[in-house]
Amino acid sequence: NPFLRCDNEQIRSQVEQYQGIKANSPVDVFAGLRGWKDHF
């Protein structure tokens, strides 16, 4: 479950690439994942 691995570097970089954001914290990664899921 990627939502439980928000501190994973690979997940963070994919979220940044897909969302076009800079994810500075696990909370940013979680929010990016959630936004990605909303538009899946």
Side-chain angles (χ1 to χ4, degrees):
N1 185 342
F3 290 102
L4 301 177
R5 296 182 289 148
C6 290
D7 58 343
N8 183 289
E9 178 64 29
Q10 197 170 22
I11 292 173
R12 184 188 62 78
S13 67
Q14 289 299 309
V15 167
E16 288 179 343
Q17 182 180 356
Y18 181 79
Q19 295 285 28
I21 62 168
K22 181 66 178 160
N24 295 318
S25 71
V27 173
D28 294 339
V29 175
F30 186 91
L33 282 170
R34 184 66 199 149
W36 193 348
K37 184 179 182 291
D38 287 344
H39 297 34
F40 180 69

